[in-house]
């Protein structure tokens, strides 16, 4: 079948993207779903910094690539062997498919699936190969999703079914921003009621971490960013103290607010400088978590004496250490109870044709989560 998709053919183009147009909207050919695969009509897709890091070249990926990894849509057709979904089901995409058989999957850690990571690195689906073509030219998949498109063929293991009454724009956020941000708090850090938490970097994922910390009963919760509008938004989410990272004494401010350092510091800015600040904001015996993705050659210097003598922990978090089939329904339930108001993170919607301009806004730090809408909203 034919479908329209946003195709990235070159990285590192100059901004503004509205002029250089790194993403071209093309009519492409989409193969039918193979065994274990599903054809999905995309209804809403979120713009994430992980997409931006591919566009600007920070995260090298095979090109050309159909971009996008955070989305919700409707099942249109099923490949052979898919028996637990039906046409018309509403689904959320997950950007790490899990095979269910490798060592991490067997240990209950599907976010670390080895075949899934290998397929994502190659720009292929879990079963191997690519389903998008521009004439004879194969187009790589972005993290098994390629969600900036009217339709996508994905592995069944990249989908979680959700309730039919959940709006698509809200549902899309649960596939990345909420899984990664809330999961870093709940799963990776295991935050308990009464612990102090600081979150550095208030994009969609970072603000989701703030919501997760509040839902866990953390106190105090401190949010850190350079943008005053994002800090103001964080304050509207609950009892959140804020610190502007541009202040020369930001680390000391956080240490003062948390009585000498946070029990848990979470870095979501994708910056080594931010991770270093998070480390220095963490108390003796505390936990520093990072889910940011700086360029692959970025390194962090850690004082080993502090690591040992203060019994400190530095831990990575990928997709919030999630089990998507378990966590997405749980987080949606908390959203419906009003305890995870993730709809507050949305900055508006755009049509697919305006996606380059939308990425300019994201690169400038002027928005939290924009949604590419395919349902006319």
């Amino acid at each position: 079948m034919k479908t329209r998709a946003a195709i990235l053919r070159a990285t590192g183009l100059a901004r503004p993207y509205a002029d250089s147009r790194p993403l071209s909207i093309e009519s492409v050919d989409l193969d039918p779903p193979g065994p274990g695969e599903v054809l999905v009509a995309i209804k809403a897709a979120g713009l994430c910094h992980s997409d931006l890091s591919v566009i600007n070249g920070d995260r090298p990926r095979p090109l050309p690539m159909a971009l996008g990894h955070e989305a919700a849509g409707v099942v249109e057709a099923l490949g052979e062997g898919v028996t637990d979904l039906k046409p018309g089901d509403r689904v959320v995409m997950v950007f790490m498919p899990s095979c269910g058989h490798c060592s991490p999957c067997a240990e209950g850690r599907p976010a670390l699936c080895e075949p899934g990571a290998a397929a994502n690195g190659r720009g292929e689906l879990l079963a191997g190969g690519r389903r998008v073509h521009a004439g004879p030219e194969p187009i790589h998949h972005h993290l098994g999703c390629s969600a900036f498109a009217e339709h996508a063929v994905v592995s069944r293991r990249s989908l979680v079914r959700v309730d039919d009454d959940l709006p698509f724009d809200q549902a899309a956020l649960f596939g990345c921003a909420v899984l990664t941000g809330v999961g870093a708090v709940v799963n990776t850090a295991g935050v308990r009621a009464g612990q102090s938490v600081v979150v550095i970097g208030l994009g969609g994922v970072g603000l989701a971490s703030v919501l997760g910390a509040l839902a866990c009963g953390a106190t105090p919760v401190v949010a850190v960013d350079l943008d005053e509008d994002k800090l103001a938004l964080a304050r509207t989410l609950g009892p959140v103290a804020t610190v502007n990272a541009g202040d020369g004494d930001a680390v000391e401010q956080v240490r003062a607010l948390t009585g000498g350092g946070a029990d848990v510091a979470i870095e979501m800015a994708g910056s080594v400088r931010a991770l270093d600040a998070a480390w220095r904001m963490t108390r003796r015996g505390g936990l520093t978590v990072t889910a940011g993705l700086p360029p692959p050659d970025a390194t962090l210097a850690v004082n080993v004496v502090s690591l040992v003598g203060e019994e400190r922990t530095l831990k990575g978090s990928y997709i919030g250490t999630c089990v998507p089939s378990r966590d997405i329904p749980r987080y949606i339930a908390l959203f419906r109870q009003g305890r995870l108001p993730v709809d507050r993170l949305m900055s508006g919607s755009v049509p697919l044709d305006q996606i380059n301009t939308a990425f300019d806004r994201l690169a400038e730090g002027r928005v939290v989560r924009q949604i590419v809408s395919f349902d006319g909203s």
Side-chain angles (χ1 to χ4, degrees), residues 255 276 278-288 300-314:
R255 293 181 67 85
D276 177 70
W279 176 259
R280 291 183 288 126
M281 292 172 182
T282 308
R283 71 167 179 85
R284 293 168 60 89
L287 170 63
T288 308
L300 175 72
V302 173
N303 185 297
V304 179
V305 171
S306 296
L307 180 68
V308 176
E310 298 178 5
E311 290 196 351
R312 304 275 293 279
T313 302
L314 175 62

Side-chain angles (χ1 to χ4, degrees), residues 78-335:
L78 304 173
E80 180 184 350
V82 180
T83 59
D84 57 343
L85 291 175
K86 64 182 184 301
D89 281 348
R90 191 166 299 204
V91 289
V92 168
M93 290 187 173
V94 177
F95 62 90
M96 174 57 77
S98 53
C99 72
H101 305 293
C102 68
S103 293
C105 286
E107 294 169 358
R109 305 181 74 185
L112 300 182
C113 176
E114 292 167 346
N120 281 358
R122 295 191 303 267
E124 299 181 352
L125 295 190
L126 184 61
R130 289 154 291 185
R131 310 292 180 266
V132 185
H133 311 272
E137 178 186 32
I139 305 295
H140 296 87
H141 296 272
H142 186 210
L143 302 177
C145 297
S146 295
F148 296 146
E150 294 170 338
H151 295 83
V153 168
V154 301
S155 169
R156 168 64 185 91
R157 295 183 176 273
S158 295
L159 298 173
V160 173
R161 190 189 180 284
V162 297
D163 295 337
D164 292 339
D165 62 343
L166 185 65
F168 290 111
D169 55 354
Q170 297 174 9
L173 300 181
F174 287 89
C176 175
V178 178
L179 268 187
T180 303
V182 177
V185 174
V186 175
N187 297 328
T188 311
V191 170
R192 302 185 302 275
Q195 286 191 304
S196 56
V197 174
V198 58
V199 178
I200 303 177
L202 301 182
V205 177
L207 284 166
S209 289
V210 171
L211 290 174
L214 292 169
C216 287
T219 183
V221 176
V222 184
V224 181
D225 200 275
L226 290 164
D227 187 272
E228 284 295 338
D229 289 337
K230 292 178 180 177
L231 293 170
L233 174 58
R235 290 192 293 270
T236 70
L237 300 177
V240 177
T242 58
V243 171
N244 192 307
D247 293 344
D249 60 349
V251 171
E252 290 306 315
Q253 286 188 63
V254 170
R255 293 181 67 85
L257 288 166
T258 55
D263 293 305
V264 177
I266 299 176
E267 184 273 316
M268 293 295 188
S271 158
V272 173
R273 182 177 178 184
L275 180 54
D276 177 70
W279 176 259
R280 291 183 288 126
M281 292 172 182
T282 308
R283 71 167 179 85
R284 293 168 60 89
L287 170 63
T288 308
V289 173
T290 177
L293 289 171
D297 59 352
T299 59
L300 175 72
V302 173
N303 185 297
V304 179
V305 171
S306 296
L307 180 68
V308 176
E310 298 178 5
E311 290 196 351
R312 304 275 293 279
T313 302
L314 175 62
K315 192 171 186 180
S317 177
Y318 192 57
I319 325 180
T321 318
C322 71
V323 179
S325 60
R326 175 197 70 190
D327 292 340
I328 288 179
R330 287 181 177 179
Y331 298 159
I332 290 174
L334 289 172
F335 167 65

